[in-house]
PDB file of all heavy atoms in Angstrom:
ATOM      1  N   ASN A  15       6.708  -0.708   3.153  1.00 98.00           N
ATOM      2  CA  ASN A  15       6.256  -2.083   3.534  1.00 98.00           C
ATOM      3  C   ASN A  15       7.507  -2.868   3.838  1.00 98.00           C
ATOM      4  O   ASN A  15       8.247  -3.277   2.940  1.00 98.00           O
ATOM      5  CB  ASN A  15       5.478  -2.709   2.356  1.00 98.00           C
ATOM      6  CG  ASN A  15       5.131  -4.110   2.588  1.00 98.00           C
ATOM      7  OD1 ASN A  15       5.319  -4.652   3.659  1.00 98.00           O
ATOM      8  ND2 ASN A  15       4.701  -4.821   1.519  1.00 98.00           N
ATOM      9  N   LYS A  17       7.799  -5.723   4.941  1.00 98.00           N
ATOM     10  CA  LYS A  17       7.633  -7.155   4.822  1.00 98.00           C
ATOM     11  C   LYS A  17       8.200  -7.898   6.075  1.00 98.00           C
ATOM     12  O   LYS A  17       8.180  -7.334   7.134  1.00 98.00           O
ATOM     13  CB  LYS A  17       8.242  -7.678   3.481  1.00 98.00           C
ATOM     14  CG  LYS A  17       7.651  -6.861   2.310  1.00 98.00           C
ATOM     15  CD  LYS A  17       8.041  -7.465   0.990  1.00 98.00           C
ATOM     16  CE  LYS A  17       7.375  -6.572  -0.126  1.00 98.00           C
ATOM     17  NZ  LYS A  17       7.616  -7.123  -1.417  1.00 98.00           N
ATOM     18  N   HIS A 100      -2.123  -7.833  -0.512  1.00 98.00           N
ATOM     19  CA  HIS A 100      -0.787  -7.810  -1.211  1.00 98.00           C
ATOM     20  C   HIS A 100      -0.640  -9.086  -1.980  1.00 98.00           C
ATOM     21  O   HIS A 100      -1.057 -10.187  -1.565  1.00 98.00           O
ATOM     22  CB  HIS A 100       0.305  -7.693  -0.168  1.00 98.00           C
ATOM     23  CG  HIS A 100       1.665  -7.406  -0.788  1.00 98.00           C
ATOM     24  ND1 HIS A 100       2.464  -8.421  -1.364  1.00 98.00           N
ATOM     25  CD2 HIS A 100       2.345  -6.228  -0.982  1.00 98.00           C
ATOM     26  CE1 HIS A 100       3.514  -7.854  -1.836  1.00 98.00           C
ATOM     27  NE2 HIS A 100       3.504  -6.538  -1.576  1.00 98.00           N
ATOM     28  N   GLU A 102       1.763 -11.031  -2.329  1.00 98.00           N
ATOM     29  CA  GLU A 102       2.400 -12.106  -1.606  1.00 98.00           C
ATOM     30  C   GLU A 102       1.394 -12.881  -0.747  1.00 98.00           C
ATOM     31  O   GLU A 102       1.431 -14.099  -0.525  1.00 98.00           O
ATOM     32  CB  GLU A 102       3.617 -11.588  -0.777  1.00 98.00           C
ATOM     33  CG  GLU A 102       4.794 -11.245  -1.708  1.00 98.00           C
ATOM     34  CD  GLU A 102       5.692 -10.126  -1.263  1.00 98.00           C
ATOM     35  OE1 GLU A 102       5.619  -9.781  -0.018  1.00 98.00           O
ATOM     36  OE2 GLU A 102       6.432  -9.563  -2.060  1.00 98.00           O
ATOM     37  N   GLU A 172       0.170  -2.893  -8.065  1.00 98.00           N
ATOM     38  CA  GLU A 172       1.503  -3.480  -7.972  1.00 98.00           C
ATOM     39  C   GLU A 172       1.616  -4.658  -8.940  1.00 98.00           C
ATOM     40  O   GLU A 172       1.217  -5.819  -8.624  1.00 98.00           O
ATOM     41  CB  GLU A 172       1.771  -4.039  -6.515  1.00 98.00           C
ATOM     42  CG  GLU A 172       1.727  -2.999  -5.454  1.00 98.00           C
ATOM     43  CD  GLU A 172       2.499  -3.395  -4.247  1.00 98.00           C
ATOM     44  OE1 GLU A 172       2.225  -4.478  -3.662  1.00 98.00           O
ATOM     45  OE2 GLU A 172       3.419  -2.682  -3.871  1.00 98.00           O
ATOM     46  N   ALA A 176       6.945  -6.802 -11.179  1.00 95.00           N
ATOM     47  CA  ALA A 176       7.790  -5.607 -10.825  1.00 95.00           C
ATOM     48  C   ALA A 176       8.158  -5.688  -9.382  1.00 95.00           C
ATOM     49  O   ALA A 176       9.021  -4.914  -8.941  1.00 95.00           O
ATOM     50  CB  ALA A 176       7.099  -4.299 -11.164  1.00 95.00           C
ATOM     51  N   ILE A 177       7.555  -6.527  -8.582  1.00 94.00           N
ATOM     52  CA  ILE A 177       7.762  -6.579  -7.161  1.00 94.00           C
ATOM     53  C   ILE A 177       9.075  -7.285  -6.829  1.00 94.00           C
ATOM     54  O   ILE A 177       9.206  -8.507  -7.087  1.00 94.00           O
ATOM     55  CB  ILE A 177       6.562  -7.232  -6.411  1.00 94.00           C
ATOM     56  CG1 ILE A 177       5.339  -6.373  -6.632  1.00 94.00           C
ATOM     57  CG2 ILE A 177       6.923  -7.398  -4.906  1.00 94.00           C
ATOM     58  CD1 ILE A 177       4.106  -6.969  -5.897  1.00 94.00           C
ATOM     59  N   GLY A 178      10.007  -6.553  -6.226  1.00 92.00           N
ATOM     60  CA  GLY A 178      11.264  -7.176  -5.789  1.00 92.00           C
ATOM     61  C   GLY A 178      12.135  -7.652  -6.872  1.00 92.00           C
ATOM     62  O   GLY A 178      13.107  -8.396  -6.670  1.00 92.00           O
ATOM     63  N   GLY A 215       6.291  -1.642  -6.779  1.00 97.00           N
ATOM     64  CA  GLY A 215       7.029  -2.603  -7.595  1.00 97.00           C
ATOM     65  C   GLY A 215       8.362  -1.941  -8.020  1.00 97.00           C
ATOM     66  O   GLY A 215       8.424  -1.254  -9.012  1.00 97.00           O
ATOM     67  N   SER A 216       9.467  -2.273  -7.235  1.00 96.00           N
ATOM     68  CA  SER A 216      10.766  -1.794  -7.527  1.00 96.00           C
ATOM     69  C   SER A 216      10.894  -0.323  -7.634  1.00 96.00           C
ATOM     70  O   SER A 216      11.665   0.233  -8.417  1.00 96.00           O
ATOM     71  CB  SER A 216      11.297  -2.483  -8.833  1.00 96.00           C
ATOM     72  OG  SER A 216      11.365  -3.877  -8.616  1.00 96.00           O
ATOM     73  N   VAL A 217      10.122   0.407  -6.809  1.00 97.00           N
ATOM     74  CA  VAL A 217      10.304   1.876  -6.740  1.00 97.00           C
ATOM     75  C   VAL A 217      11.573   2.187  -5.926  1.00 97.00           C
ATOM     76  O   VAL A 217      11.854   1.600  -4.904  1.00 97.00           O
ATOM     77  CB  VAL A 217       9.137   2.531  -6.001  1.00 97.00           C
ATOM     78  CG1 VAL A 217       9.314   4.017  -5.880  1.00 97.00           C
ATOM     79  CG2 VAL A 217       7.827   2.280  -6.762  1.00 97.00           C
ATOM     80  N   LEU A 235       3.927   2.437  -2.877  1.00 98.00           N
ATOM     81  CA  LEU A 235       4.057   1.444  -1.829  1.00 98.00           C
ATOM     82  C   LEU A 235       5.391   0.772  -2.046  1.00 98.00           C
ATOM     83  O   LEU A 235       5.711   0.184  -3.145  1.00 98.00           O
ATOM     84  CB  LEU A 235       2.901   0.392  -1.985  1.00 98.00           C
ATOM     85  CG  LEU A 235       2.909  -0.728  -0.970  1.00 98.00           C
ATOM     86  CD1 LEU A 235       2.873  -0.229   0.439  1.00 98.00           C
ATOM     87  CD2 LEU A 235       1.626  -1.598  -1.162  1.00 98.00           C
ATOM     88  N   VAL A 236       6.328   0.923  -1.092  1.00 98.00           N
ATOM     89  CA  VAL A 236       7.745   0.678  -1.285  1.00 98.00           C
ATOM     90  C   VAL A 236       8.158  -0.510  -0.439  1.00 98.00           C
ATOM     91  O   VAL A 236       8.051  -0.493   0.799  1.00 98.00           O
ATOM     92  CB  VAL A 236       8.554   1.902  -0.973  1.00 98.00           C
ATOM     93  CG1 VAL A 236      10.041   1.689  -1.248  1.00 98.00           C
ATOM     94  CG2 VAL A 236       8.060   3.164  -1.598  1.00 98.00           C
ATOM     95  N   GLY A 237       8.658  -1.560  -1.044  1.00 98.00           N
ATOM     96  CA  GLY A 237       9.197  -2.705  -0.297  1.00 98.00           C
ATOM     97  C   GLY A 237      10.655  -2.556   0.004  1.00 98.00           C
ATOM     98  O   GLY A 237      11.029  -1.925   0.943  1.00 98.00           O
ATOM     99  N   GLY A 238      11.493  -3.149  -0.854  1.00 97.00           N
ATOM    100  CA  GLY A 238      12.935  -3.207  -0.642  1.00 97.00           C
ATOM    101  C   GLY A 238      13.600  -1.883  -0.270  1.00 97.00           C
ATOM    102  O   GLY A 238      14.339  -1.779   0.669  1.00 97.00           O
TER     103      GLY A 238
HETATM  104  P1  LIG B 312       9.420  -3.760  -3.847  1.00 74.36           P
HETATM  105  O1  LIG B 312       8.055  -4.311  -3.217  1.00 74.36           O
HETATM  106  O2  LIG B 312       9.516  -2.286  -3.672  1.00 74.36           O
HETATM  107  O3  LIG B 312      10.498  -4.511  -3.125  1.00 74.36           O
HETATM  108  O4  LIG B 312       9.385  -4.166  -5.268  1.00 74.36           O
HETATM  109  C1  LIG B 312       6.913  -3.557  -3.299  1.00 74.36           C
HETATM  110  C2  LIG B 312       5.789  -4.225  -2.570  1.00 74.36           C
HETATM  111  O5  LIG B 312       5.745  -5.446  -2.553  1.00 74.36           O
HETATM  112  O6  LIG B 312       4.916  -3.607  -1.873  1.00 74.36           O
END
Side-chain angles (χ1 to χ4, degrees):
N15 172 12
K17 307 193 179 181
H100 189 281
E102 286 151 16
E172 298 205 304
I177 295 179
S216 296
V217 177
L235 182 54
V236 185

